[in-house]
Amino acid sequence: MTDAPGEVRGIVFDIQRMCIHDGPGIRTTVFLKGCPLECPWCHNPEGRSPHRELAYSSALCIGCNACARACPNRLHALENGIHRFQRDTCRACFACAEACPSGALEIVGREMSVEAVMQEVLRDHVFYETSNGGITVSGGEPLEQPEFAASLLHAAKAAGLHTALETSGCATHERMAAVVSATDLFLFDYKETDPERHLRTTGYAHARVIDNLRYLDAQGAAIVLRCPIIPGANLRDDHLEGIADLAHSLQHLQEVHVMGYHPLGQSKRQRLGADATATYRAPSRDELKQVAQWLRAHGIEHVNID
Ligand code: SF4
Ligand code: SF4
């Protein structure tokens, strides 16, 4: 979204400093809202909606009723001392969150300009210089805000930072092309090899993801394949073989990262009022080590566990 001439603005749901798992060195990771995928194991469900939204934590509620007094639509109430919230007809005016004294109601997402994000990012410039770190733009799927993501990466490049983009590969070539020259490293998520399972679990065609990965590789982009391991979903021999085959086929692959599923996303989904019934377990450290060893044994030289 463009607010004033030359000022590109976007919706950011988090800015995390001192990250050490989102690319080389010490980094600041900027999380943009909006994602076209529906992965039931998502650990950042607050990145799904492209809009600002309301999160509610019952553990923080002190039963003060300020939200009920603030809401113009009477969607909050205390029943026998227990807070009730009718989320379905919420108009996202956020008057309740602004009135809530305890942080139980929280606005997820803030509109920011590229300049404002860069001001925050550059606070840690000295750490980037000493560690060869920089900025990572993540999400959600950051290319759901193509103009903002591209402008942010180009601004970071102009400031002399190392730049990384974490992507699910779910975007058009045009959106990929707009960020290639400003991105030093693509952290490319690879979730599922079987096309039918991919479509069923993520709602997105496997072929389009592969097409974008090959496009980036053909452009000479440096690529890290980031592979979430989810027992009960993709911890299968055929998927590991798929990762190995894909890794071997890429000209500009730097590393494969094996990442364990974390159930943290379930409580976040509950806070956002979303269905939290999908049940997966986190893989053990030994299972992740076995996956990494299997990939090394199948000729993938650089495999890390994140
Ligand atoms: S965001 Fe606005 S409409 Fe929604 S519950 Fe809060 S005060 Fe009511
Ligand atoms: S304003 Fe916040 S703390 Fe008070 S009842 Fe509402 S949610 Fe609970």
Side-chain angles (χ1 to χ4, degrees):
M1 62 184 67
T2 305
D3 203 41
E7 187 181 53
V8 181
R9 300 175 72 83
I11 307 286
V12 174
F13 71 86
D14 202 3
I15 296 179
Q16 290 182 4
R17 300 165 66 188
M18 301 292 164
C19 298
I20 55 169
H21 295 291
D22 293 335
I26 296 171
R27 313 187 69 80
T28 294
T29 302
V30 182
F31 295 86
L32 310 192
K33 273 178 82 51
C35 179
L37 300 185
E38 300 160 2
C39 311
W41 53 76
C42 179
H43 69 286
N44 276 341
E46 67 273 53
R48 289 277 296 278
S49 166
H51 307 294
R52 297 166 79 214
E53 57 193 321
L54 197 60
Y56 169 66
S57 304
S58 58
L60 295 177
C61 178
I62 55 173
C64 69
N65 219 21
C67 50
R69 290 191 293 275
C71 177
N73 299 304
R74 300 175 181 271
L75 300 182
H76 297 272
L78 281 184
E79 292 173 14
N80 299 322
I82 297 174
H83 173 262
R84 304 278 180 216
F85 174 32
Q86 254 179 282
R87 188 181 281 272
D88 297 356
T89 47
C90 171
R91 301 203 175 156
C93 70
F94 304 121
C96 56
E98 279 154 15
C100 178
S102 70
L105 288 164
E106 185 191 356
I107 305 168
V108 178
R110 55 183 161 146
E111 186 179 322
M112 297 182 76
S113 66
V114 168
E115 187 182 20
V117 174
M118 284 303 297
Q119 272 177 10
E120 281 203 42
V121 169
L122 288 172
R123 287 165 66 191
D124 290 332
H125 198 274
V126 66
F127 295 106
Y128 313 144
E129 281 179 1
T130 53
S131 69
N132 295 319
I135 182 175
T136 298
V137 181
S138 182
E141 167 48 64
L143 295 180
E144 282 289 287
Q145 297 188 52
E147 189 183 5
F148 185 62
S151 299
L152 184 54
L153 288 162
H154 281 279
K157 267 321 277 171
L161 303 189
H162 179 278
T163 56
L165 178 74
E166 181 172 20
T167 177
S168 59
C170 300
T172 59
H173 279 187
E174 188 184 19
R175 291 182 180 189
M176 291 276 171
V179 294
V180 167
S181 67
T183 306
D184 295 311
L185 179 65
F186 284 85
L187 303 169
F188 199 103
D189 296 342
Y190 187 63
K191 306 166 197 298
E192 177 57 70
T193 295
D194 179 85
E196 193 276 326
R197 283 177 192 259
H198 193 284
L199 185 60
R200 178 158 39 88
T201 52
T202 71
Y204 205 87
H206 177 263
R208 291 181 67 187
V209 172
I210 296 297
D211 190 41
N212 275 323
L213 181 58
R214 301 223 179 281
Y215 168 78
L216 290 177
D217 197 40
Q219 301 300 310
I223 296 166
V224 167
L225 271 190
R226 305 245 285 186
C227 304
I229 300 299
I230 308 138
N234 68 5
L235 182 50
R236 309 184 316 273
D237 288 351
D238 66 294
H239 180 48
L240 298 188
E241 285 160 13
I243 295 171
D245 289 347
L246 190 58
H248 282 303
S249 73
L250 297 171
Q251 298 293 311
H252 300 97
L253 180 74
Q254 292 197 339
E255 292 176 353
V256 173
H257 286 187
V258 173
M259 305 187 310
Y261 160 76
H262 196 290
L264 176 68
Q266 290 296 85
S267 59
K268 290 191 196 173
R269 286 170 76 90
Q270 280 170 343
R271 290 181 59 226
L272 295 166
D275 169 38
T277 53
T279 50
Y280 299 101
R281 69 170 174 84
S284 67
R285 190 73 185 168
D286 278 350
E287 283 176 310
L288 295 178
K289 281 183 184 170
Q290 284 168 17
V291 168
Q293 280 165 3
W294 190 96
L295 291 170
R296 289 187 195 109
H298 285 74
I300 313 299
E301 202 176 334
H302 301 291
V303 182
N304 285 330
I305 299 175
D306 266 353

